[in-house]
Amino acid sequence: MLSLRSIWQERSIASLLTNSSAPLSISKIKFCHLSSISCATVSRAQSYPDPYNPPFDPAPLPGSAPQHNALLLLHSSSRPVNWPARMEIASSLMGVITRKMKALGGLANFAWGINKLEYGVEWKDSEEFAATLYRRGMPPVDIPSLTTANMDQVLTPLLKSNSMLPLSQANDQGRNLHFFVCTHGERDCRCGAVGVEVANALREELNRLKTPDGTVDGWSFKVGEVGHVGGHKFAANVLVYPEGHWYGNLRPSDIPSFVRDHLDRTSTSEGIPPSTLLRKHWRGSMHLSGEEQVRQYEMATKSDSASVTSSEPVSSFNPRGGDEVIITYTSHDGKAKHPVIAKIGESLMEVATRAQLEGIEGVCEGKLECATCHVYLSQNPLPAPVPKMFDEEEDMLEYALFRNEAESRLGCQIKVTKELAKWNQEGGVIRLPRY
């Protein structure tokens, strides 16, 4: 797997970032996909047309942050732009810890630039790392040494502790504001390009505001860089702990206001952040499910609508404009629900691929040349309000695995409508395929 690095070594984003200090041009990044990683050629002909550079993908952000009760960061001595694409494969310890954290309801990642404890015997048979554990409602815990041998002894008591505090009380005991930016360039070059710029902008802004005691308005701050967090298309992704808010589509020009809005808050937010800028970039919070993230965002924007002027419309969050509805996809086994904000007129394939739902690939991009957007539309309580199938769709469905004559459709041929959303909300099921 690690040999995938050689596929684009000559064009490595890590090399570009290491060998040049010139700003990168998002508008000049060209993407191609090889296997599961994205490669890039980056032109330095111009710097970011910031702040007017649009997101890489205009998909709605709320609901895209994974729910978790803790984040464990292993301190790496090297910057993420130099890491292999698949850290969980390159590091045997990370693979084991990722599974352990998942079983205990948490996430694990590597981080660089956050602590003097940084050291590590990396990507060897016997690995040892310093680490930091973040739990919502509790101050962060520094772990001087974490290995396969002591992992259970160290992590299990911490993660099974029930001594959670309200976030405001926790921060009164220790006002911590730690920013983590995904800059994992070999996993996806968008993160390696704009992520690095945003991380640098955060450091510069916080250092500018820093007082002689090393704090900013009494807040202890850190800026770190982390590996893949999910949602490459939302680069730059910034995670803020211990409150556990995740943000996307940030650019260097956003950072002064982004920092100010965090510092101006009298206490850490229990739900969706209060400021317009933070809401615009909010992917979700660690303690909320995807459905709860979407619901909180909708409630917040509705409550804002009475006070919003024509110069700052609520719909500015989504560049596409138009009406939004919630479409909920159900996993193939029926155990998981995936609510996604969708635009009227989009196809079910477009909504699902934008949300990175497992089982929907859309290889042909809706040209009726494959069956990789196969979905199941239940017949109960009523048949779905969708158009009749044409012969071309019928032909392609012959290639769908586990086709169900009564329920199988191609997602690219089903447009989102208010009627479909209502049917879905009233019990109609849009089920994802197993493969």
Side-chain angles (χ1 to χ4, degrees), residues 6-186:
S6 63
I7 295 175
W8 60 291
Q9 194 167 15
E10 294 182 357
R11 297 177 176 179
S12 170
I13 190 73
S15 175
L16 286 167
L17 291 170
T18 302
N19 297 328
S20 174
S21 59
L24 298 174
S25 170
I26 296 178
S27 63
K28 297 289 184 177
I29 293 178
K30 298 180 181 179
F31 299 96
C32 63
H33 293 280
L34 299 175
S35 184
S36 60
I37 61 174
S38 295
C39 306
T41 53
V42 182
S43 169
R44 294 186 174 277
Q46 63 184 59
S47 58
Y48 293 130
D50 209 18
Y52 306 107
N53 201 314
F56 291 110
D57 191 301
L61 293 171
S64 64
Q67 185 177 16
H68 55 290
N69 60 24
L71 172 68
L72 179 69
L73 296 178
L74 305 186
H75 300 179
S76 172
S77 57
S78 60
R79 201 171 187 180
V81 292
N82 300 314
W83 295 350
R86 297 285 180 175
M87 297 294 288
E88 70 279 11
I89 297 176
S91 166
S92 58
L93 178 60
M94 176 55 78
V96 173
I97 285 182
T98 297
R99 292 190 291 272
K100 174 71 173 178
M101 290 296 293
K102 183 177 181 181
L104 294 171
L107 302 176
N109 205 332
F110 278 105
W112 173 86
I114 63 170
N115 201 303
K116 293 180 180 179
L117 291 173
E118 275 175 6
Y119 68 87
V121 181
E122 303 181 359
W123 312 320
K124 308 291 184 183
D125 291 336
S126 58
E127 296 176 286
E128 180 181 9
F129 290 91
T132 300
L133 180 68
Y134 292 90
R135 296 162 295 172
R136 180 178 176 272
M138 300 188 74
V141 176
D142 285 329
I143 302 170
S145 174
L146 193 63
T147 66
T148 304
N150 71 3
M151 176 181 65
D152 288 332
Q153 180 183 358
V154 171
L155 294 179
T156 302
L158 288 171
L159 291 172
K160 289 189 175 180
S161 170
N162 293 320
S163 56
M164 293 292 188
L165 296 171
L167 285 175
S168 55
Q169 292 182 32
N171 279 301
D172 286 341
Q173 294 187 1
R175 289 163 62 87
N176 299 290
L177 198 58
H178 297 177
F179 300 92
F180 301 105
V181 188
C182 178
T183 60
H184 197 172
E186 289 215 21

Side-chain angles (χ1 to χ4, degrees), residues 84-317:
R86 297 285 180 175
M87 297 294 288
E88 70 279 11
I89 297 176
S91 166
S92 58
L93 178 60
M94 176 55 78
V96 173
I97 285 182
T98 297
R99 292 190 291 272
K100 174 71 173 178
M101 290 296 293
K102 183 177 181 181
L104 294 171
L107 302 176
N109 205 332
F110 278 105
W112 173 86
I114 63 170
N115 201 303
K116 293 180 180 179
L117 291 173
E118 275 175 6
Y119 68 87
V121 181
E122 303 181 359
W123 312 320
K124 308 291 184 183
D125 291 336
S126 58
E127 296 176 286
E128 180 181 9
F129 290 91
T132 300
L133 180 68
Y134 292 90
R135 296 162 295 172
R136 180 178 176 272
M138 300 188 74
V141 176
D142 285 329
I143 302 170
S145 174
L146 193 63
T147 66
T148 304
N150 71 3
M151 176 181 65
D152 288 332
Q153 180 183 358
V154 171
L155 294 179
T156 302
L158 288 171
L159 291 172
K160 289 189 175 180
S161 170
N162 293 320
S163 56
M164 293 292 188
L165 296 171
L167 285 175
S168 55
Q169 292 182 32
N171 279 301
D172 286 341
Q173 294 187 1
R175 289 163 62 87
N176 299 290
L177 198 58
H178 297 177
F179 300 92
F180 301 105
V181 188
C182 178
T183 60
H184 197 172
E186 289 215 21
R187 185 63 180 264
D188 191 280
C189 48
R190 289 166 287 190
C191 300
V194 68
V196 168
E197 293 275 345
V198 166
N200 290 338
L202 274 167
R203 292 189 185 96
E204 292 172 6
E205 181 64 15
L206 287 165
N207 284 329
R208 184 182 69 83
L209 298 172
K210 185 169 62 176
T211 55
D213 65 357
T215 68
V216 177
D217 289 349
W219 290 86
S220 171
F221 70 89
K222 293 178 181 177
V223 178
E225 299 178 25
V226 296
H228 171 63
V229 299
H232 316 292
K233 62 188 179 183
F234 299 139
N237 289 293
V238 178
L239 322 181
V240 183
Y241 284 85
E243 62 184 66
H245 286 310
W246 288 37
Y247 300 92
N249 292 339
L250 284 161
R251 298 291 179 264
S253 64
D254 296 317
I255 296 308
S257 296
F258 182 76
V259 169
R260 183 197 64 231
D261 285 356
H262 277 89
L263 297 174
D264 284 349
R265 293 151 66 187
T266 57
S267 64
T268 307
S269 174
E270 296 282 348
I272 187 169
S275 83
T276 301
L277 174 75
L278 296 185
R279 288 180 187 176
K280 175 182 177 182
H281 294 281
W282 189 68
R283 291 182 56 181
S285 183
M286 63 186 291
H287 69 292
L288 299 174
S289 68
E291 187 172 11
E292 290 168 333
Q293 293 167 17
V294 172
R295 187 183 302 115
Q296 284 213 12
Y297 175 77
E298 287 190 324
M299 291 174 61
T301 52
K302 285 179 181 178
S303 65
D304 286 344
S305 60
S307 59
V308 173
T309 65
S310 59
S311 62
E312 189 181 14
V314 172
S315 62
S316 64
F317 170 79

